[in-house]
């Protein structure tokens, strides 16, 4: 694919904006809304296992709420993506951005005395749909809600440096580092 043939939803600026938003969501829900993460579920599963291991059953049950919201968001984004595509009106990613913006406006207007779970469920749901819908940036597989895969790809690239003959390692390492960071941060 040439640079100009990418969909607008795969552009770098969209990717960066979604990463910024998802990072803010995670920090917001963990710091201010109940101590759970909405942008990815690994930490919530770890917190769940720790709660079960320590016999804190109410805490464990509490963590099932954001995990379930994330699961439902993943399911719904798969189903809606295919359903919307058949209608040929708007692309699912366009609808999702509007839906997510509406959710954020709702949460901004939400009174502060409402339960944290309202915010957690809403943002877990939104992050799951975002992660499931936006899967690449300009042809490079990417995640907008967490960085784990990006760190893995960087480590894999660094490991491949060992396979390069020593005489060309420096030049090749510079090129590979640029490509790796390019795939993570800018473009391939």
């Amino acid at each position: 694919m040439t640079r100009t043939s990418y969909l607008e939803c795969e552009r770098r600026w969209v990717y960066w904006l979604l990463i910024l938003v998802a990072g803010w969501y995670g920090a917001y829900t963990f710091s201010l809304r109940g101590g759970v993460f909405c942008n990815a579920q690994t930490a919530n599963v770890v917190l769940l296992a720790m709660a079960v291991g320590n016999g804190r059953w109410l805490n464990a049950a509490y963590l099932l709420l954001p995990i379930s919201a994330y699961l439902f968001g993943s399911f719904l984004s798969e189903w809606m993506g295919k359903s919307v595509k058949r209608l040929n009106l708007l692309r699912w990613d366009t609808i999702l951005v509007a839906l997510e913006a509406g959710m954020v406006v709702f949460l901004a207007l939400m009174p502060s005395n409402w339960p944290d779970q309202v915010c957690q469920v809403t943002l877990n749901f939104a992050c799951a749909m975002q992660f499931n819908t936006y899967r690449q940036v300009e042809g490079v597989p990417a995640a907008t809600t967490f960085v784990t895969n990006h760190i893995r790809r960087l480590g894999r690239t660094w490991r491949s440096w060992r396979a390069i003959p020593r005489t060309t390692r420096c030049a090749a390492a510079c090129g590979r580092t640029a490509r790796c960071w390019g795939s993570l941060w800018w473009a391939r």
Side-chain angles (χ1 to χ4, degrees):
M1 242 181 197
T2 64
R3 185 166 178 79
T4 57
S5 65
Y6 293 110
L7 297 171
E8 197 61 32
C9 64
E10 293 182 8
R11 298 289 184 176
R12 285 177 275 160
W13 74 270
V14 173
Y15 178 73
W16 277 107
L17 183 62
L18 292 172
I19 286 175
L20 177 72
V21 167
W24 183 84
Y25 289 166
Y28 174 71
T29 55
F30 187 78
S31 300
L32 301 174
R33 290 293 189 167
V36 299
F37 294 94
C38 70
N39 56 331
Q41 296 307 298
T42 304
N44 290 338
V45 171
V46 169
L47 292 172
L48 174 70
M50 289 170 48
V52 168
N54 291 323
R56 295 183 355 244
W57 306 112
L58 286 177
N59 288 3
Y62 178 80
L63 287 161
L64 289 176
L65 187 65
I67 294 169
S68 298
Y70 200 90
L71 178 65
F72 182 66
S74 296
F75 166 77
L76 191 65
S77 66
E78 280 293 322
W79 180 70
M80 289 297 293
K82 289 177 179 38
S83 299
V84 168
K85 190 175 185 176
R86 286 192 292 265
L87 296 176
N88 291 324
L89 295 174
L90 287 173
R91 292 181 47 85
W92 165 243
D93 46 28
T94 304
I95 294 170
L96 177 59
V97 167
L99 181 64
E100 198 168 332
M103 289 179 193
V104 169
V105 169
F106 165 75
L107 293 174
L109 298 174
M110 182 178 87
S112 61
N113 62 348
W114 281 18
D116 290 340
Q117 291 83 354
V118 173
C119 181
Q120 292 168 2
V121 166
T122 303
L123 291 179
N124 271 282
F125 181 76
C127 283
M129 291 194 307
Q130 178 182 312
F131 171 65
N132 204 37
T133 301
Y134 295 92
R135 298 179 183 194
Q136 64 182 8
V137 58
E138 296 186 1
V140 177
T144 59
T145 59
F146 56 88
V147 300
T148 306
N149 187 52
H150 306 304
I151 294 170
R152 180 194 63 83
R153 291 184 65 191
L154 182 62
R156 186 174 168 197
T157 298
W158 287 350
R159 167 55 185 98
S160 67
W161 291 348
R162 302 286 297 152
I164 301 169
R166 185 174 282 277
T167 56
T168 59
R169 189 175 291 166
C170 183
C174 291
R176 285 178 184 263
T177 300
R179 279 196 309 278
C180 181
W181 282 108
S183 70
L184 297 176
W185 307 114
W186 295 285
R188 188 162 22 154

